[in-house]
Amino acid sequence: MIELLIGIDDTDNKNTRGTGFRSRQMADLFSKEGYEVLEILRHQLFVHDDIPYTSQNSSASIHIIADDIDKVINLSRDFLNEIAADGSDVGLCVSTFEKVNQEIIDWGRNAKKTVLTKKDALALAAKHQIHLEGLTGTHDGIIGSLAAIGLRKWGNDGRCIWLQGHEIRDIKGVHQISSLKKMVNIDEVQTTEGMVIDDEEYLDINEWFRPAMKNSKIITYVEPTKNTSNEWKVVSKEYIKSISN
């Protein structure tokens, strides 16, 4: 089995579902093929007048365990061609985890703060023998899809929209942290000050459960509740966005 990273970008238009939704559909597709989907991350890229984007200029990385990279490429390509919205500029990037080196990581980090070009994206991918292709429109999505795999490998960017076979927005209520960790692949539960919360304590999951990727760990950030001394709640949407964008 092979550890793979898949990056997708610019699948939508202003009237269709976004790239995050399409990445979750891809996770369902991979799961039906028997592959293990470890997580999907949303990555916020640079917002600038010289960069065309639909709403927020975000891309998605999908981290899976599969048996055949060529099959994953073909499945991804067929799916994206089928769902690509009119006017979209879909980009697809697929690589083994180990091939994503510091140059690709730097590309991802630069994509968060500067305007990059398709020509340079293709050259960088070719240099490191990483599969990168544009599928529709102008192919501008190759820039963000290459950035997505670099940011995931970096391990300090993005928020989870899928974890270990779960559509995490469906997880609600109060859970003991040890039980939650068995349900989804969370490495740590921390306060905003960095204090790690014991697995025996309880977590109240509100309507916006989005663990973040920090130091190559999947971390859920929490704050105390007023209910009991050993119960915590997920921090606000605004805080999660501030640390994951």
Side-chain angles (χ1 to χ4, degrees), residues 100-108 124 128 130 146 149-150:
V100 184
N101 60 18
Q102 190 60 49
E103 280 193 277
I104 308 298
I105 291 170
D106 289 344
W107 176 270
L124 184 60
H128 298 293
I130 287 173
L146 182 62
I149 69 165

Side-chain angles (χ1 to χ4, degrees), residues 166-192:
H166 284 269
E167 170 65 84
I168 60 173
R169 65 181 64 198
D170 295 334
I171 301 174
K172 306 288 185 184
V174 177
H175 299 262
Q176 191 169 37
I177 292 171
S178 58
S179 298
L180 186 63
K181 285 182 175 181
K182 291 177 182 177
M183 187 185 310
V184 290
N185 184 30
I186 296 170
D187 293 306
E188 289 182 357
V189 176
Q190 290 186 12
T191 66
T192 55

Side-chain angles (χ1 to χ4, degrees), residues 106-227:
D106 289 344
W107 176 270
R109 296 182 69 180
N110 286 333
K112 295 180 70 66
K113 59 187 178 183
T114 191
V115 179
L116 302 173
T117 70
K118 291 180 287 185
K119 180 181 176 181
D120 288 342
L122 289 169
L124 184 60
K127 176 182 178 180
H128 298 293
Q129 298 181 308
I130 287 173
H131 181 86
L132 180 66
E133 65 176 320
L135 298 177
T136 64
T138 66
H139 298 178
D140 278 342
I142 63 174
I143 296 170
S145 59
L146 182 62
I149 69 165
L151 289 168
R152 171 57 191 88
K153 182 66 176 285
W154 180 38
N156 282 288
D157 186 80
R159 55 181 178 265
C160 298
I161 57 177
W162 173 289
L163 275 176
Q164 203 177 20
H166 284 269
E167 170 65 84
I168 60 173
R169 65 181 64 198
D170 295 334
I171 301 174
K172 306 288 185 184
V174 177
H175 299 262
Q176 191 169 37
I177 292 171
S178 58
S179 298
L180 186 63
K181 285 182 175 181
K182 291 177 182 177
M183 187 185 310
V184 290
N185 184 30
I186 296 170
D187 293 306
E188 289 182 357
V189 176
Q190 290 186 12
T191 66
T192 55
E193 290 77 29
M195 183 180 78
V196 177
I197 306 302
D198 190 89
D199 284 358
E200 299 309 305
E201 301 201 12
Y202 289 82
L203 176 58
D204 184 1
I205 295 174
N206 60 26
E207 73 283 354
W208 218 75
F209 179 46
R210 300 290 189 277
M213 179 68 71
K214 295 293 178 184
N215 299 315
S216 295
K217 292 183 177 181
I218 297 170
I219 297 176
T220 294
Y221 289 93
V222 300
E223 57 190 7
T225 69
K226 297 179 180 180
N227 298 337

Side-chain angles (χ1 to χ4, degrees), residues 21-35 37 40 62 79 162 165-167:
F21 176 75
R22 298 308 185 188
S23 69
R24 295 194 298 272
Q25 287 186 313
M26 289 179 71
D28 283 330
L29 175 65
F30 294 141
S31 296
K32 289 174 182 175
E33 290 293 326
Y35 301 152
V37 182
I40 302 173
I62 308 171
F79 171 80
W162 173 289
H166 284 269
E167 170 65 84

